[in-house]
Amino acid sequence: MRQGETSLPTDRVGAICRSLRRAIVERALTPGDRLPEDALGERFGVSRTIARQALGQLAGEGLVELRRNRIAVVASPSWEEARDTFDVRIGLERLVVQRLAGRLSAEQRAALEAHIAGEERASGGSEAASIRLATEFHLLLAEMTGSPVLGRYVAELGYRCALILSLYSRPHSADCAVSEHSEIVAALVSGDAARAVALMDHHLDAVAERARIVDEPRRERDLLRLLAPYVEG
Amino acid sequence: MRQGETSLPTDRVGAICRSLRRAIVERALTPGDRLPEDALGERFGVSRTIARQALGQLAGEGLVELRRNRIAVVASPSWEEARDTFDVRIGLERLVVQRLAGRLSAEQRAALEAHIAGEERASGGSEAASIRLATEFHLLLAEMTGSPVLGRYVAELGYRCALILSLYSRPHSADCAVSEHSEIVAALVSGDAARAVALMDHHLDAVAERARIVDEPRRERDLLRLLAPYVEG
DNA sequence: TGGGATTTGTTCGTATGTATT
DNA sequence: GAATACATACGAACAAATCCC
């Protein structure tokens, strides 16, 4: 057996999941959009079997709704589910900052500040990039706890919250103020756990606060063209 | 279309998952046990496709390890993963008791006390039943928060912790003292959130504390016979 | 080390259910 | 309301990897 060389010779299911997650976060795919197995397979160059597995996994993460004998669609959480998701997210991210306060290594601090710099740079450009980076800031924090379990749950909730905002938040609102991220990092560095928790709570509350119902008629959308920028390769 | 009548005419994948979860919690299946797709399919009367889906879902929950081109096995978390899992569980269950303190309805209180009575009744009998009921007590609490998201995560971690205890705890230790459950409920009823949190913390710490490495040579085990009591239907 | 038996990875065909004209 | 087109559910079958003697 050849050594090294990632034994998964390209995890096609995982690649599709990552592409779809990113498309959802960036709002190229929005709740209700249809995800037929063949179209996905064609777009990603795989058979229906693989597309199906990806849909199953994303359904487990709450990003996709799988109805029996029906085309899968991007999930449309109810308002209750949305509120619940945000509530639990706040609880989990509180755990994150509690673990991190006063314990950031120099490298971690640098990585966070670099990420925030990236957010600032993106804030003038496309909204898609801003939203994605804002989401990833929270995932980055969670990863730094060194707890894979916490990291996974925070990531899952982060993606779901991004989906929820694409459903309920009014258009053209910056969904995550970069300066708030900055303040959180400052509090973490200073070791003031209580302040970091308060800032994170306030930050996420503000994000959730932007969730407003805007019932916008949805035009038919072309999955294949839509997904083009998200095919890894 | 005939009305009512659960439109999922028996979710076979879900049924297999439930059976397997229960078998794992009751230690009929223990870490490292092999789960070949066709043996599962034969046992549950389904094709490999269905068995495979169930394995995929359980892998997502961390109960099964899926290695490429290899037989799936019941997961064997490392000690680090085990500790991480317990840590996050404690954090989440703290959220649960914080939400529940002073807010239990009469029905909920009755349900909890009935459950504890069941645990006491089972404490003389089979160890399997005791362990399962102890796990389910925590799931029941989480459900009562009315938060599906929190409920799902606590359930997932509860099952994983049961798995971990079957790996690391010494044999014949009661894994969950019934009286501690009782005290937690009493604190919740009294509305003393701080005390409820402290009791839950202490309780889960004590459970984790029982995790000790016991390297026991594993005999070959017959999946088909093993699983017989867990086939639903 | 080798080779046969096992087991998984994947595709694809058929049956069945859903949407649409 | 029926017929047609379309999409999914499931299982059979084949290729490739792995296991085990």
Side-chain angles (χ1 to χ4, degrees):
Chain A
M1 178 193 307
R2 299 189 295 303
Q3 60 158 4
E5 183 171 20
T6 162
S7 109
L8 304 177
T10 70
D11 177 355
R12 301 184 285 173
V13 173
I16 298 175
C17 287
R18 283 191 297 276
S19 293
L20 254 29
R21 263 188 229 110
R22 185 160 165 231
I24 289 172
V25 167
E26 298 196 350
R27 306 189 185 176
L29 283 174
T30 65
D33 281 353
R34 296 145 62 100
L35 301 167
E37 293 174 0
D38 327 335
L40 276 183
E42 187 175 347
R43 169 45 83 188
F44 288 97
V46 300
S47 74
R48 275 180 28 226
T49 306
I50 307 299
R52 190 182 177 75
Q53 287 182 32
L55 288 173
Q57 181 168 335
L58 292 172
E61 300 173 13
L63 296 179
V64 161
E65 269 167 34
L66 238 38
R67 289 122 71 212
R68 188 171 184 80
N69 288 319
R70 299 269 246 299
I71 295 181
V73 294
V74 177
S76 304
S78 69
W79 199 86
E80 285 77 17
E81 292 170 321
R83 190 65 241 180
D84 181 31
T85 303
F86 264 102
D87 282 344
V88 177
R89 182 189 190 189
I90 290 175
L92 285 193
E93 298 231 22
R94 201 177 298 185
L95 296 179
V96 169
V97 294
Q98 281 169 349
R99 288 180 183 220
L100 251 29
R103 289 193 181 83
L104 285 180
S105 71
E107 292 77 18
Q108 290 177 325
R109 177 185 178 172
L112 288 168
E113 285 167 350
H115 187 96
I116 290 173
E119 289 188 71
E120 281 163 351
R121 241 177 291 125
S123 69
S126 80
E127 205 186 27
S130 291
I131 299 174
R132 179 171 50 77
L133 288 169
T135 300
E136 287 172 352
F137 171 79
H138 293 268
L139 310 201
L140 185 56
L141 273 184
E143 272 173 25
M144 288 181 175
T145 63
S147 164
V149 174
L150 193 50
R152 206 201 101 211
Y153 289 157
V154 169
E156 199 171 294
L157 293 177
Y159 289 125
R160 286 188 69 185
C161 285
L163 170 71
I164 287 165
L165 287 172
S166 89
L167 233 196
Y168 292 116
S169 80
R170 52 167 52 87
H172 301 111
S173 71
D175 282 321
C176 225
V178 179
S179 66
E180 294 179 353
H181 288 177
S182 231
E183 289 177 50
I184 290 169
V185 171
L188 290 176
V189 169
S190 81
D192 187 341
R195 176 169 164 79
V197 168
L199 285 170
M200 179 62 90
D201 272 20
H202 176 266
H203 172 56
L204 290 176
D205 270 335
V207 175
E209 199 49 43
R210 297 190 190 105
R212 294 278 178 270
I213 294 181
V214 268
D215 233 0
E216 200 175 2
R218 189 172 313 289
R219 66 196 179 287
E220 264 315 300
R221 326 178 74 223
D222 180 353
L223 177 69
L224 265 49
R225 192 167 50 237
L226 220 54
L227 238 36
Y230 294 95
V231 177
E232 290 182 348
Chain B
M1 178 193 307
R2 297 187 298 300
Q3 62 159 6
E5 184 170 19
T6 164
S7 109
L8 305 176
T10 70
D11 177 353
R12 300 185 285 172
V13 173
I16 297 175
C17 287
R18 284 191 297 276
S19 293
L20 254 29
R21 264 188 228 109
R22 184 159 165 231
I24 288 173
V25 167
E26 297 196 349
R27 305 189 185 175
L29 283 174
T30 65
D33 281 353
R34 297 146 62 102
L35 301 168
E37 293 173 359
D38 25 12
L40 277 182
E42 186 176 346
R43 169 47 82 189
F44 289 97
V46 300
S47 77
R48 265 183 52 207
T49 306
I50 306 300
R52 192 180 176 74
Q53 286 182 35
L55 288 173
Q57 180 169 334
L58 292 171
E61 300 173 13
L63 296 179
V64 161
E65 269 167 34
L66 238 39
R67 286 131 47 197
R68 190 174 182 77
N69 286 319
R70 299 267 245 300
I71 294 181
V73 296
V74 176
S76 303
S78 70
W79 199 86
E80 286 77 17
E81 293 171 320
R83 189 65 239 179
D84 181 31
T85 303
F86 264 102
D87 282 346
V88 178
R89 182 190 190 187
I90 289 174
L92 285 193
E93 298 231 24
R94 203 178 297 187
L95 295 179
V96 169
V97 294
Q98 281 168 349
R99 288 180 182 218
L100 251 29
R103 288 193 182 84
L104 285 179
S105 71
E107 291 77 17
Q108 290 176 325
R109 176 184 178 172
L112 288 169
E113 286 168 349
H115 187 95
I116 290 174
E119 290 187 70
E120 280 163 350
R121 241 176 291 125
S123 69
S126 80
E127 205 184 27
S130 291
I131 299 173
R132 178 171 51 76
L133 289 169
T135 300
E136 287 171 352
F137 172 78
H138 293 267
L139 310 201
L140 185 56
L141 273 184
E143 272 173 25
M144 287 182 176
T145 63
S147 164
V149 174
L150 192 51
R152 207 200 101 209
Y153 289 157
V154 168
E156 201 171 293
L157 293 178
Y159 288 126
R160 285 188 71 185
C161 285
L163 170 71
I164 287 166
L165 287 173
S166 89
L167 233 196
Y168 292 118
S169 79
R170 51 166 53 89
H172 300 111
S173 72
D175 282 320
C176 226
V178 179
S179 66
E180 294 179 354
H181 287 176
S182 228
E183 289 177 49
I184 289 168
V185 171
L188 289 176
V189 169
S190 81
D192 186 342
R195 175 170 166 78
V197 168
L199 285 171
M200 179 62 90
D201 272 21
H202 176 268
H203 171 55
L204 290 176
D205 271 334
V207 174
E209 199 50 44
R210 298 189 190 107
R212 294 279 179 271
I213 296 181
V214 268
D215 232 1
E216 202 175 0
R218 189 173 312 292
R219 66 197 177 287
E220 265 314 303
R221 326 179 71 221
D222 179 353
L223 177 68
L224 264 50
R225 192 168 48 236
L226 222 54
L227 237 37
Y230 294 95
V231 178
E232 290 184 347

